[in-house]
C-alpha cells in the first residue's frame, strides 16, 4: 500500500472509531438515570422551569431522535451546550484543551531531555551507581502515583524553598498588569509572540512543577526502554568493530549505538503522550490547572452529558491521531516495517 | 537520525535566543516602561482575591439561581439590603405599604449612576422586574405576588399585589432582584440577546465593582474593577481590583490563603479549622448560616406512614453528637425547621432530643416492638457531612432493630427517584435547604406544603391546618410580623407533632481570610458572597 493511501485509509478508520465512541458514550450517559433538566435550571427550581428546560433540551423526544440531533449538530462542528455552565461545549473545551496541551508538551519535553541521556548512561555504565539511580528513578516514576509527586514537589519548592508558585497557570496580579493578548491559547508562545516577558517568565514558573510531575511516568518508561535497547545494541558486532577502530566513545554511544536504539524509544515517547493525557487529569486537579481534566471531572460528577461527550470526542481524537503518527514514524525509522 | 538531532539542536537554539531575548528585551522593548514598574506588583495594583470552589454559571441577573451571585452581588444592587438585624436601604431609601400589605411604594435613591453612565430611575426598576418575570426562569417566582407596577415619577415606584406579601424582603433577594440599566440593555436586542451580551462578561449594574470583560473567564477567574462613580463613594484603603479565583481543591485554597496568595476563602476542610485558628497569618470568621440539613420520611409508604414510627426514629438521633462529630462544633443543633437568626425560629421550641428508651416505647406502641423493618436512605454523593450523618443514624437505629440501607446518589438522580412514585421511592431522603430570600415561608412552603405534583415536598406531607397557618402567615409578614411569627410557630408545632422530617443542624458559614485585609462581614442573606466594597487593607 502506498503511503498516502495508507493515511487516507487510517483516517477513514479513525472517523468510524470516533463515531463508535460517541455512540457508546451518548447512550450510556442517557441510560444512567438522571435529570439533565434539573441540572440545567439549578437549585430549587419550580416545576414550570423544569418543564421549560425539558423542552429546550429536547428531553421529551425519544433518545434516538436526540442522538440524531446531536450527530447533526456535531457534523456542523457544534458540540452542544453544557448543561452545567450553559456555555457552548466547544468554547469551554477550546481553552481547556490548549491549557492541557501546553502542559503535556512541556512534560514530554522534560521527559525526553532527562530520559534519553539517563537511559544511555545507564546502559553504558551498567550496574554502576548511575544505573542504579536510573533504575530507582524509573521504577518510582512509573509506580508512584502522580499526585504524590505533585504534593511533594509543592512542599519542597513552594512551602520550604519558596521559589516556585503553588498552583495555577499564571499569577493573577502579573496578568492584570501585563494583559496577555491570546493568539494560540498557549501562554508561553503567546507571551513570546507579543513580547510580553513578565507573563512568559511567570507562566514558565507555573509550568515547571506540574510538567515535572506529569513527566515522571514517561521518564521512567523511556529510560528503561532506551537502556535495554542500548545494552542490546552495544553487544552488536558493528559496535565492537567501531571500538576496534579506536573511534571516540562519545561518538560510538550517541551516534552509532543510539541511532539504532532510539527507534523503539520514539514509539514509547509517542504512546506516552496518550498516557500523559490521562495523567494530566489528576495533575491538573492538584495544581489547579484550568485544563481538560478539571473540566472532565466536573462534567462527569454533575452528569453534564454534552460536556462528557465533548471531552470524550477530543480525547478519542487525540488518541487516534497520536497512534497514527506513532505508526507513521515507526515506518519512517525502521525500513523493515512495511505498510 | 541526523535530521532529528538537527531539529533538537534547533529547538535548543531557539530557546537560547528566546532566553537571551528576555534579558536584553527588558531594556529596549516599548513594554519595558510598564514592566519596569511591576517588579513590585503589590505597590502598583491593590488587588483582593477571593478563592472560590466552583465555576460561575450565568451572569444574567434575571435568571441566575446558583452561585454566580458571588459576582452579581458586587456588580449589581437590589432595592433593599437584607441584614440579620433587619432590612436596610440600598437602591431604595425608604418604602411603605397600605394597611393590608397589597400596595407598596418604594422611594429610590437619587444620583445613582449605572456603569454605563446612565442615571438609575424607576423605569429601570420596572423593566428589570418585568424582564425577570417575562423570562420565567430560576428565581422569577419571587415576584409572583405582583399584579402591576406603576412608575409614579423618576424616583418613586408603586407595586400593586395580587395578595398581601412582604415585598421589601422580596426586593432584597439575592436571586432575581438586581436592578439593571434598561436604557442601555434594551438597545441590545431581545431577552436572549441581552443574556448573551451579559454572559460575555459584561454588566449593566450600579454596584461598586464593574466586570472586566476581556479578563472574564468563568472557569478560572473573574476580575472586577472599582467603579469610580459609585454612589456611596470610595475611601483610600479599599481595593481597586477584586478577583474571584476558581480553585476547586479545598486543601489548595487553604495553602493559598495561609501564604497570602489569596486573601479570603471558604469551604475549607472542617478538620483543619482548629489548626487555622491558631495560625497568626489568617483569621477565621464563623457565622450562623441560613442552611439546614433535613432527612425527609416517606409519609406515603409503610411503615413510615405511621406517625409513631416517625416520632420514634426522631427520638433515636444523637443530635448533639452529630454536630460535634460531623461539624466539629462549627454549627448548632437545629431548633425546628427554620434556621437561627430568621423570623420563625424559636429557641424555646420543643424539639426532639436523643432518648432511645422513648424511641423503643413509641416503636412498640406502633406495633414494631423489635423494629424488624428495613429503610432505604438516599443522600447526595460526595457530601461528606451527609455521609457521616447517615452512618451515625444507621448505627443508632440498629439499636431499635431498624436496618438502614444507605444509598449515595448523584443529586439529579436522587431527586428524580424522589419525584417518581412515592410508594416505590426511597424511605428517607437527606437534603439541605437554604432560602431564595430569608423568609420562613420559603422553607415551610417548599418542603411541607401540600403539592399536587411532587417538587420539593419530598416527605409527601400534606396537612390542611399546616398549609392554612403558613399561607396566612406569609400574607402578614410584611405588615404584622408578630402575628406572622405566631402563625409560623403554630405551623412548626404541627410539624413537630407529625414528624415528617428530622431536623439535624444549621452549619456555620466559615470564612478564612488573610491578616492583610479587614472589614469582612458575612451576610447569611447572600450566601457565599463576599462584598468586596466592605473590605479594607490593614
Amino acid at each position: 500500500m502506498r503511503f498516502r493511501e495508507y493515511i487516507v485509509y487510517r483516517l477513514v478508520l479513525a472517523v468510524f472509531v470516533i463515531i463508535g465512541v460517541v455512540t457508546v458514550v451518548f447512550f450510556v450517559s442517557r441510560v444512567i438515570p438522571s435529570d439533565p433538566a434539573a441540572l440545567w435550571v439549578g437549585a430549587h427550581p419550580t416545576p414550570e422551569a423544569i418543564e421549560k428546560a425539558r423542552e429546550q433540551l429536547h428531553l421529551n423526544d425519544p433518545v434516538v431522535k436526540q442522538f440524531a440531533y446531536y450527530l447533526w449538530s456535531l457534523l456542523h462542528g457544534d458540540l452542544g451546550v453544557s448543561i452545567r455552565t450553559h456555555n457552548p461545549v466547544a468554547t469551554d473545551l477550546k481553552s481547556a484543551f490548549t491549557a492541557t496541551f501546553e502542559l503535556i508538551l512541556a512534560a514530554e519535553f522534560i521527559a525526553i531531555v532527562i530520559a534519553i541521556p539517563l537511559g544511555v548512561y545507564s546502559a553504558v555504565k551498567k550496574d554502576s551507581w548511575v544505573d542504579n539511580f536510573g533504575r530507582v528513578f524509573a521504577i518510582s516514576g512509573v509506580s508512584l502515583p502522580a499526585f504524590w509527586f505533585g504534593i511533594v514537589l509543592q512542599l519542597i519548592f513552594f512551602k520550604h524553598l519558596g521559589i516556585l508558585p503553588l498552583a495555577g497557570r499564571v499569577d493573577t496580579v502579573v496578568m492584570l498588569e501585563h494583559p496577555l493578548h491570546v493568539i494560540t491559547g498557549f501562554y508561553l508562545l503567546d507571551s513570546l509572540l507579543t513580547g510580553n516577558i513578565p507573563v512568559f517568565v511567570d507562566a514558565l514558573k507555573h509550568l515547571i512543577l506540574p510538567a515535572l510531575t506529569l513527566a515522571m511516568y514517561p521518564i521512567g518508561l523511556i529510560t528503561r526502554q532506551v537502556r535495554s535497547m542500548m545494552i542490546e545494541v552495544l553487544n552488536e558486532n558493528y559496535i565492537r568493530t567501531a571500538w576496534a577502530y579506536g573511534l571516540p566513545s562519545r561518538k560510538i554511544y550517541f551516534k552509532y549505538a543510539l541511532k539504532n536504539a532510539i527507534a523503539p524509544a520514539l514509539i514509547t515517547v509517542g504512546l506516552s503522550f496518550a498516557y500523559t493525557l490521562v495523567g494530566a487529569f489528576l495533575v491538573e486537579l492538584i495544581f489547579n490547572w484550568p485544563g481538560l481534566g478539571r473540566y472532565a471531572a466536573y462534567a462527569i460528577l454533575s452528569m453534564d452529558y454534552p460536556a462528557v461527550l465533548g471531552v470524550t470526542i477530543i480525547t478519542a481524537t487525540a488518541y487516534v491521531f497520536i497512534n497514527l503518527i506513532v505508526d507513521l514514524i515507526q515506518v519512517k525509522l525502521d525500513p523493515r516495517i512495511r505498510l | 537520525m541526523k535530521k532529528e538531532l538537527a531539529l533538537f539542536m534547533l529547538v535548543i537554539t531557539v530557546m537560547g535566543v528566546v532566553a537571551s531575548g528576555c534579558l536584553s528585551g527588558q531594556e529596549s522593548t516599548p513594554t519595558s516602561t510598564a514592566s519596569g514598574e511591576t517588579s513590585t506588583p503589590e505597590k502598583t495594583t491593590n488587588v483582593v482575591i477571593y478563592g472560590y470552589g466552583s465555576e460561575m454559571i450565568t451572569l444574567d441577573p434575571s435568571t441566575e439561581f446558583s452561585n454566580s451571585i458571588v459576582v452579581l452581588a458586587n456588580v449589581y444592587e437590589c432595592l433593599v439590603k437584607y441584614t440579620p438585624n433587619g432590612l436596610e436601604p440600598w437602591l431604595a431609601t425608604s418604602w411603605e405599604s397600605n394597611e393590608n400589605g397589597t400596595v407598596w411604594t418604594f422611594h429610590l435613591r437619587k444620583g445613582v449612576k449605572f456603569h454605563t453612565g446612565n442615571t438609575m430611575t424607576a423605569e429601570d426598576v420596572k423593566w428589570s422586574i418585568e424582564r425577570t418575570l417575562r423570562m420565567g426562569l430560576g428565581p422569577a417566582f419571587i415576584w409572583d405576588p405582583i399584579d402591576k407596577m406603576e412608575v409614579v415619577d423618576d424616583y418613586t415606584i408603586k407595586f400593586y399585589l395580587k395578595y398581601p406579601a412582604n415585598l421589601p424582603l422580596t426586593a432584597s433577594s439575592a436571586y432575581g432582584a438586581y436592578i439593571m440599566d434598561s436604557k442601555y440593555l434594551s438597545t441590545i436586542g431581545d431577552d436572549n440577546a441581552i443574556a448573551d451580551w451579559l454572559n460575555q462578561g459584561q454588566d449593566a449594574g450600579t454596584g461598586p465593582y464593574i466586570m472586566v470583560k476581556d479578563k472574564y473567564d468563568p472557569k478560572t477567574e473573574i476580575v472586577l474593577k472599582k467603579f469610580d462613580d459609585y454612589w456611596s463613594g470610595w475611601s483610600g484603603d479599599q481595593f481597586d481590583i477584586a478577583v474571584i479565583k476558581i480553585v476547586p481543591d479545598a486543601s489548595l485554597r487553604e495553602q493559598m490563603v495561609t501564604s497570602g496568595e489569596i486573601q479570603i476563602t471558604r469551604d475549607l476542610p472542617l478538620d483543619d479549622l482548629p489548626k487555622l485558628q491558631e495560625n497568626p497569618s489568617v483569621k477565621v470568621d464563623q457565622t450562623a448560616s441560613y442552611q439546614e440539613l433535613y432527612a425527609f420520611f416517606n409519609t406515603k409508604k409503610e411503615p413510615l406512614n405511621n406517625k409513631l414510627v416517625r416520632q420514634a426514629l426522631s427520638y433515636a438521633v444523637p443530635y448533639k453528637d452529630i454536630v460535634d462529630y460531623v461539624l466539629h462544633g462549627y454549627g448548632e443543633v437545629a431548633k425546628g425547621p427554620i434556621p437561627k437568626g430568621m423570623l420563625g425560629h424559636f429557641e424555646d421550641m420543643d424539639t426532639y432530643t436523643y432518648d432511645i428508651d422513648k424511641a423503643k416505647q413509641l416503636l412498640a406502641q406502633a406495633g414494631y416492638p423489635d423494629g424488624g423493618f428495613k429503610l432505604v436512605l438516599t443522600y447526595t454523593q460526595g457530601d461528606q457531612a451527609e455521609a457521616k450523618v447517615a452512618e451515625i443514624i444507621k448505627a443508632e437505629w440498629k439499636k431499635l432493630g431498624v436496618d438502614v440501607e444507605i444509598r449515595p446518589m448523584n443529586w439529579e438522580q436522587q431527586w428524580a427517584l424522589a419525584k417518581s412514585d412515592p410508594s416505590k421511592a426511597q424511605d428517607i431522603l437527606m437534603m439541605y435547604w437554604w432560602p431564595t430570600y430569608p423568609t420562613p415561608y420559603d422553607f415551610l412552603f417548599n418542603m411541607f406544603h401540600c403539592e399536587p405534583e411532587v417538587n420539593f415536598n419530598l416527605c409527601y406531607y400534606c396537612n390542611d391546618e399546616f398549609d392554612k397557618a403558613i399561607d396566612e402567615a406569609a400574607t402578614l409578614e410584611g405588615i404584622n410580623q408578630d402575628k406572622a411569627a405566631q402563625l409560623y410557630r403554630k405551623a412548626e408545632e404541627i410539624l413537630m407533632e407529625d414528624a415528617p422530617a428530622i431536623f439535624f443542624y444549621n452549619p456555620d458559614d466559615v470564612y478564612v481570610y488573610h491578616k492583610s485585609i479587614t472589614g469582612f462581614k458575612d451576610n447569611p442573606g447572600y450566601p457565599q458572597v463576599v462584598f468586596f466594597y466592605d473590605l479594607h487593607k490593614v
Side-chain angles (χ1 to χ4, degrees):
Chain A
M1 208 184 288
R2 298 255 300 281
F3 197 62
R4 195 175 299 169
E5 283 166 8
Y6 180 73
I7 293 180
V8 172
Y9 166 72
R10 285 290 298 262
L11 285 178
V12 172
L13 270 188
V15 171
F16 279 103
V17 169
I18 291 165
I19 290 179
V21 170
V22 171
T23 314
V24 170
V25 176
F26 185 90
F27 284 99
V28 167
S29 65
R30 302 320 308 276
V31 166
I32 295 169
S34 177
D35 190 356
L39 181 60
W40 178 265
V41 289
H44 300 182
T46 54
E48 299 82 57
I50 296 260
E51 195 42 48
K52 210 167 169 176
R54 298 195 133 269
E55 257 164 50
Q56 220 174 331
L57 298 171
H58 302 296
L59 290 174
N60 293 329
D61 293 334
V63 183
V64 179
K65 201 169 166 193
Q66 290 180 40
F67 186 54
Y69 274 128
Y70 187 80
L71 280 188
W72 183 246
S73 38
L74 195 61
L75 279 179
H76 297 80
D78 177 7
L79 290 170
V81 174
S82 160
I83 295 185
R84 191 174 53 87
T85 67
H86 296 209
N87 281 340
V89 174
T91 324
D92 278 356
L93 280 177
K94 202 181 151 206
S95 67
F97 183 74
T98 46
T100 296
F101 216 66
E102 184 167 40
L103 179 60
I104 290 177
L105 285 178
E108 285 295 334
F109 178 77
I110 293 176
I112 292 169
V113 167
I114 293 180
I116 292 182
L118 191 62
V120 171
Y121 278 110
S122 296
V124 171
K125 306 250 193 271
K126 211 169 84 178
D127 295 326
S128 70
W129 70 268
V130 180
D131 186 25
N132 286 332
F133 170 78
R135 183 178 293 134
V136 171
F137 198 70
I139 291 174
S140 51
V142 174
S143 52
L144 287 172
F147 66 84
W148 184 84
F149 268 118
I151 292 167
V152 168
L153 289 176
Q154 281 177 333
L155 271 178
I156 298 172
F157 290 98
F158 172 74
K159 197 133 194 169
H160 291 296
L161 299 177
I163 46 174
L164 287 174
L166 177 65
R169 204 176 168 196
V170 65
D171 187 75
T172 307
V173 177
V174 171
M175 272 295 254
L176 282 172
E177 291 177 343
H178 306 275
L180 177 66
H181 178 61
V182 177
I183 304 165
T184 59
F186 295 90
Y187 282 5
L188 285 185
L189 192 61
D190 288 349
S191 56
L192 272 186
L193 287 176
T194 53
N196 193 338
I197 302 309
V199 169
F200 177 80
V201 172
D202 191 67
L204 194 61
K205 271 190 188 169
H206 278 84
L207 191 59
I208 294 173
L209 292 187
L212 201 58
T213 309
L214 196 54
M216 292 311 286
Y217 189 82
I219 288 177
L221 221 55
I222 299 167
T223 309
R224 299 310 287 169
Q225 180 91 41
V226 171
R227 179 184 176 273
S228 63
M229 288 314 293
M230 277 295 281
I231 289 175
E232 211 173 282
V233 171
L234 288 176
N235 284 328
E236 298 274 338
N237 286 332
Y238 78 95
I239 297 291
R240 226 168 288 149
T241 315
W243 282 119
Y245 275 111
L247 292 175
S249 57
R250 181 173 292 269
K251 201 166 181 183
I252 295 177
Y253 295 142
F254 282 94
K255 192 163 178 199
Y256 299 121
L258 186 60
K259 185 178 171 185
N260 278 327
I262 199 124
L266 280 183
I267 308 305
T268 314
V269 172
L271 289 179
S272 69
F273 258 98
Y275 286 121
T276 45
L277 192 58
V278 177
F281 280 35
L282 253 181
V283 173
E284 281 176 10
L285 286 175
I286 303 161
F287 289 96
N288 199 37
W289 196 263
L292 275 183
R294 225 174 81 174
Y295 187 74
Y298 264 135
I300 292 166
L301 286 177
S302 56
M303 298 225 182
D304 181 355
Y305 72 91
V308 172
L309 277 166
V311 174
T312 312
I313 291 171
I314 292 279
T315 335
T317 314
Y319 256 95
V320 167
F321 276 92
I322 288 167
N323 265 315
L324 175 60
I325 292 166
V326 168
D327 285 353
L328 295 179
I329 291 177
Q330 202 163 12
V331 171
K332 282 281 168 198
L333 285 182
D334 193 340
R336 287 169 301 183
I337 298 173
R338 297 270 167 103
L339 286 173
Chain B
M1 200 53 231
K2 260 186 192 135
K3 263 188 210 159
E4 269 88 351
L5 206 71
L7 199 74
F8 184 72
M9 291 309 291
L10 186 75
V11 171
I12 297 289
T13 324
V14 169
M15 298 270 303
V17 169
V18 165
S20 58
C22 299
L23 297 173
S24 62
Q26 225 146 16
E27 278 91 22
S28 60
T29 49
T31 52
S32 63
T33 43
S35 63
E37 294 162 7
T38 57
S39 48
T40 50
E42 306 88 320
K43 281 180 191 160
T44 49
T45 316
N46 76 71
V47 184
V48 61
I49 305 176
Y50 173 22
Y52 186 70
S54 21
E55 300 170 6
M56 296 298 126
I57 305 298
T58 168
L59 290 176
D60 188 334
S62 292
T63 57
E64 150 59 18
F65 203 24
S66 181
N67 56 352
S68 307
I69 56 162
V70 167
V71 177
L72 297 186
N74 283 294
V75 173
Y76 296 89
E77 291 167 305
C78 307
L79 291 177
V80 178
K81 190 163 199 168
Y82 177 88
T83 77
N85 307 321
L87 298 177
E88 285 177 4
W90 207 355
L91 287 179
T93 48
S94 64
W95 49 87
E96 71 261 346
S97 84
N98 65 350
E99 210 169 292
N100 48 15
T102 50
V103 180
W104 288 86
T105 312
F106 285 78
H107 304 281
L108 305 184
R109 192 178 294 280
K110 286 173 187 159
V112 175
K113 283 255 187 296
F114 282 108
H115 301 158
T116 51
N118 295 331
T119 305
M120 187 214 38
T121 66
E123 272 306 333
D124 297 308
V125 176
K126 181 165 183 271
W127 186 89
S128 301
I129 296 172
E130 273 173 352
R131 177 168 185 268
T132 301
L133 278 167
R134 196 164 57 226
M135 294 187 80
L137 287 167
F141 67 88
I142 65 168
W143 298 113
D144 186 60
I146 293 180
D147 184 30
K148 68 181 168 83
M149 286 174 270
E150 182 198 331
V151 174
V152 180
D153 59 53
D154 271 1
Y155 298 103
T156 314
I157 184 163
K158 254 189 164 136
F159 296 86
Y160 296 90
L161 307 188
K162 293 182 254 181
Y163 47 86
N166 189 0
L167 204 67
L169 187 66
T170 309
S172 76
S173 170
Y175 310 92
Y178 299 105
I179 304 306
M180 296 166 264
D181 184 349
S182 63
K183 286 181 258 341
Y184 189 85
L185 288 181
S186 49
T187 59
I188 289 172
D190 66 359
D191 289 336
N192 289 327
I194 294 171
D196 288 343
W197 184 84
L198 293 166
N199 282 322
Q200 286 162 13
Q202 302 170 97
D203 75 87
T206 56
Y209 286 91
I210 313 176
M211 304 258 342
V212 180
K213 187 199 168 193
D214 56 339
K215 289 260 179 285
Y216 178 64
D217 181 354
K219 289 196 295 299
T220 313
E221 58 187 23
I222 292 91
V223 178
L224 309 175
K225 69 165 192 248
K226 97 179 202 200
F227 175 46
D228 289 325
D229 287 339
Y230 184 54
W231 57 266
S232 184
W234 292 91
S235 71
D237 58 355
Q238 282 162 298
F239 290 95
D240 293 342
I241 289 182
V243 178
I244 294 152
K245 199 176 174 77
I246 316 297
V247 185
D249 188 67
S251 53
L252 202 55
R253 288 202 302 276
E254 185 181 328
Q255 288 198 56
M256 288 169 98
V257 77
T258 48
S259 69
E261 201 170 316
I262 58 175
Q263 281 70 45
I264 184 162
T265 190
R266 53 169 287 139
D267 301 319
L268 296 185
L270 290 172
D271 311 11
D272 291 355
L273 292 177
K275 189 181 75 193
L276 288 169
Q277 243 150 0
E278 306 282 302
N279 189 329
S281 55
V282 292
K283 294 201 172 66
V284 178
D285 179 280
Q286 181 184 355
T287 320
S289 75
Y290 289 167
Q291 203 182 50
E292 184 157 326
L293 180 67
Y294 305 85
F296 298 114
F297 291 125
N298 184 338
T299 59
K300 286 272 183 286
K301 197 171 159 188
E302 293 260 4
L304 294 176
N305 55 359
N306 186 336
K307 184 164 88 181
L308 293 172
V309 176
R310 299 197 299 265
Q311 287 175 344
L313 294 178
S314 299
Y315 274 116
V317 176
Y319 296 94
K320 187 76 184 63
D321 292 352
I322 287 178
V323 168
D324 290 343
Y325 171 65
V326 177
L327 298 180
H328 296 268
Y330 291 94
E332 276 189 56
V333 174
K335 279 276 176 195
I338 304 298
K340 192 177 181 170
M342 280 180 58
L343 174 72
H345 173 91
F346 304 99
E347 271 303 303
D348 58 345
M349 181 67 94
D350 189 15
T351 51
Y352 291 91
T353 47
Y354 182 59
D355 188 341
I356 200 85
D357 294 329
K358 184 109 191 225
K360 280 181 180 158
Q361 189 195 326
L362 282 165
L363 213 52
Q365 212 178 318
Y368 301 94
D370 303 306
F373 51 86
K374 190 178 166 185
L375 300 172
V376 173
L377 179 152
T378 64
Y379 75 91
T380 312
Q381 197 164 23
D383 190 312
Q384 294 303 319
E386 287 185 353
K388 286 183 186 170
V389 174
E391 290 293 342
I392 293 172
I393 59 177
K394 181 188 167 97
E396 283 296 331
W397 292 355
K398 203 161 194 172
K399 296 177 188 164
L400 304 176
V402 176
D403 186 21
V404 180
E405 186 201 325
I406 299 173
R407 217 180 269 175
M409 292 173 100
N410 170 295
W411 164 250
E412 282 77 25
Q413 276 177 323
Q414 187 188 2
W415 196 33
L417 175 68
K419 289 199 294 181
S420 65
D421 182 1
S423 64
K424 293 188 188 110
Q426 79 294 332
D427 298 295
I428 298 165
L429 181 145
M430 279 173 70
M431 182 181 92
Y432 296 93
W433 191 266
W434 62 95
T436 309
Y437 58 94
T439 162
Y441 191 65
D442 187 84
F443 284 77
L444 300 174
F445 176 83
N446 278 298
M447 291 184 288
F448 304 108
H449 198 283
C450 299
E451 271 181 345
E453 197 185 323
V454 181
N455 194 41
F456 279 110
N457 183 345
L458 302 177
C459 42
Y460 321 114
Y461 176 71
C462 192
N463 181 326
D464 292 337
E465 203 190 339
F466 170 85
D467 288 1
K468 212 173 133 248
I470 63 166
D471 288 343
E472 195 187 338
T475 63
L476 292 172
E477 229 185 87
I479 43 174
N480 187 345
Q481 289 227 340
D482 292 341
K483 186 83 200 299
Q486 269 174 31
L487 284 162
Y488 281 132
R489 179 163 191 133
K490 185 181 157 201
E492 287 166 41
E493 278 162 356
I494 296 172
L495 282 188
M496 285 300 140
E497 168 66 20
D498 285 348
I502 303 173
F503 310 111
F504 290 108
Y505 57 71
N506 309 118
D508 281 341
D509 256 341
V510 184
Y511 286 85
V512 177
Y513 58 92
H514 195 250
K515 61 174 194 264
S516 60
I517 63 166
T518 176
F520 172 72
K521 204 165 171 355
D522 184 25
N523 186 337
Y526 303 87
Q528 322 214 345
V529 172
V530 171
F531 287 99
F532 294 116
Y533 186 74
D534 295 344
L535 302 181
H536 294 268
K537 277 170 280 184
V538 171

